[in-house]
Amino acid sequence: MLTGERELRDLIGGNAWLTRALTVARDSGLPDAWIGAGALRDLVWGERYGDGFDPTTVHDVDVVFFDPARLSRDDDQRATARLAAAWPEAPWQARNQAAVHTWYASKFGGEPIAPYRSVAEAVATWPEYATAVAVRLPATGELEICAPHGLSDLLGGVWRHNPARVDVALSRQRLARHRPAQRWPRVTVIEPG
């Protein structure tokens, strides 16, 4: 068990909105579907370091899945539409992690990346350690957590650059766009560089 896993389970289990999102993702039929990144961070940091969690401020609900047989961006759009049809109120964004290598360099620059072999391998490269976490609710009902770098930054309120894939310049752009110190005043920001 990861350090802090029980705390994360309690926060998610106590939030009907995220629990519904997890249920929709599970029931969508997308293979190996998880919710991670910003929506999860917003819940934890809103509850622990801000004024509470407000789902209306969630920019997108990142649903990641793994399907090596469907690698087109059209498949991502169809997956997003499937989620939106099931629950239109959530701002869904589905991305097949098996296909990231087909578009990453054209979107973010740099050299092409190797294909990911799993959702966990993809999650390990997400831009901040606090957002390099994904969760899913399998049919058994016991929340599963994917946190390749652990939960300490997410639960401890630390915004820290993950250099696995994102360079310092992009990390600084993300920091300026997300403004974590203004949104969650008690969060610690470690400047990239």
Side-chain angles (χ1 to χ4, degrees):
M1 182 178 276
L2 292 165
T3 301
E5 189 171 320
R6 177 55 46 207
E7 292 171 72
L8 183 59
R9 287 176 191 277
D10 289 347
L11 281 167
I12 293 169
N15 185 272
W17 186 88
L18 191 55
T19 299
R20 181 168 182 192
L22 286 163
T23 302
V24 169
R26 177 193 66 206
D27 296 344
S28 70
L30 296 172
D32 200 15
W34 299 73
I35 291 178
L40 193 55
R41 176 209 52 220
D42 290 0
L43 168 67
V44 173
W45 287 6
E47 292 296 329
R48 297 185 82 169
Y49 302 102
D51 296 327
F53 174 65
D54 179 359
T56 65
T57 65
V58 173
H59 179 67
D60 52 38
V61 178
D62 292 301
V63 175
V64 294
F65 62 100
F66 200 82
D67 187 352
R70 297 179 178 268
L71 301 181
S72 81
R73 290 306 290 260
D74 289 342
D75 290 315
D76 286 350
Q77 292 169 356
R78 280 190 286 277
T80 300
R82 181 186 306 178
L83 294 161
W87 189 29
E89 294 81 15
W92 299 104
Q93 184 177 63
R95 294 286 180 264
N96 182 2
Q97 300 304 285
V100 171
H101 69 283
T102 67
W103 54 262
Y104 188 89
S106 64
K107 181 170 182 173
F108 295 109
E111 296 297 316
I113 64 171
Y116 294 129
R117 295 169 291 196
S118 68
V119 166
E121 187 176 39
V123 169
T125 70
W126 289 357
E128 293 85 35
Y129 291 123
T131 57
V133 177
V135 296
R136 70 176 170 185
L137 188 62
T140 61
E142 181 70 21
L143 186 75
E144 292 181 18
I145 299 170
C146 175
H149 303 290
L151 297 171
S152 60
D153 279 8
L154 176 62
L155 294 173
V158 177
W159 178 287
R160 180 190 336 248
H161 170 228
N162 175 4
R165 180 75 60 219
V166 174
D167 65 20
V168 169
L170 185 55
S171 181
R172 287 188 178 133
Q173 290 172 8
R174 287 182 52 78
L175 182 59
R177 185 173 75 243
H178 289 285
R179 304 174 346 272
Q182 287 77 34
R183 291 175 68 192
W184 306 284
R186 297 189 322 268
V187 164
T188 301
V189 174
I190 299 174
E191 292 284 338

